[in-house]
Amino acid sequence: MKLTYLPIVLLLTIVSFSCRRSSPVEENADNTRKSQPCGKAVEAYATNFTTVSSDVFTIADASISGDCLTLKLGLATGCADPASLSVLHATSAATVYPQQHALKIALRYGTGCTMPELRTYSFDLYPIRQKNTNKILIGISGQQGYYKTLEYSY
């Protein structure tokens, strides 16, 4: 009877040590985080990417340093900060190298906002790192015809 259970126990032990959950980032040992998060995380693979709407704003500048995306946005004054501000991520279906990704800014104001004012915000790009590569291209598009492609190397 004891010998009947031995193969099952051995099989379960082997399976439990060989199976491990990992994120795409963890599969690339070289891509582990080496810096602290710089702001709110970009929402990776956002399901509402195509349907989200936003209040009016302008993008004055966009840049990447390390894992940090910095956006200079023209916002309405009279507000302490937007009621909500998110950066949503989606991947491209095209198979090119480096991979192409898109970011969309979703912004909602509170009440009492008037003329535009420039403010700078930072977002953490770490959640959108991809396995088996050390860089991706990110297209950032905004209202009023703004578009910029940035290379995110990690």
Side-chain angles (χ1 to χ4, degrees):
M1 191 95 166
K2 290 181 183 178
L3 289 176
T4 307
Y5 291 111
L6 184 60
I8 293 172
V9 170
L10 287 174
L11 180 63
L12 289 175
T13 304
I14 292 169
V15 168
S16 68
F17 283 112
S18 65
C19 294
R20 142 177 128 68
R21 290 182 151 218
S22 64
S23 72
V25 174
E26 290 172 347
E27 291 178 15
N28 254 349
D30 295 339
N31 292 340
T32 56
R33 182 183 286 278
K34 295 176 179 75
S35 62
Q36 293 297 315
C38 64
K40 184 177 178 181
V42 169
E43 295 180 28
Y45 307 101
T47 57
N48 61 337
F49 185 87
T50 56
T51 59
V52 71
S53 62
S54 185
D55 287 340
V56 177
F57 66 93
T58 58
I59 302 174
D61 192 32
S63 61
I64 294 175
S65 177
D67 291 324
C68 192
L69 168 68
T70 302
L71 297 172
K72 187 177 283 188
L73 303 178
L75 306 177
T77 58
C79 301
D81 269 316
S84 69
L85 176 61
S86 300
V87 175
L88 309 177
H89 163 259
T91 58
S92 170
T95 54
V96 295
Y97 181 81
Q99 296 175 358
Q100 296 180 357
H101 296 252
L103 296 181
K104 181 185 277 187
I105 299 160
L107 177 141
R108 286 285 174 215
Y109 293 122
T111 57
C113 304
T114 56
M115 300 299 287
E117 176 181 297
L118 287 177
R119 296 194 186 159
T120 302
Y121 296 91
S122 295
F123 294 89
D124 189 14
L125 293 171
Y126 187 78
I128 67 170
R129 285 185 175 190
Q130 304 296 301
K131 64 181 178 179
N132 302 321
T133 186
N134 62 354
K135 68 180 171 181
I136 59 175
L137 293 179
I138 298 174
I140 300 173
S141 54
Q143 299 168 345
Q144 303 174 354
Y146 181 92
Y147 185 83
K148 188 171 187 177
T149 300
L150 299 171
E151 184 177 290
Y152 173 36
S153 298
Y154 42 90

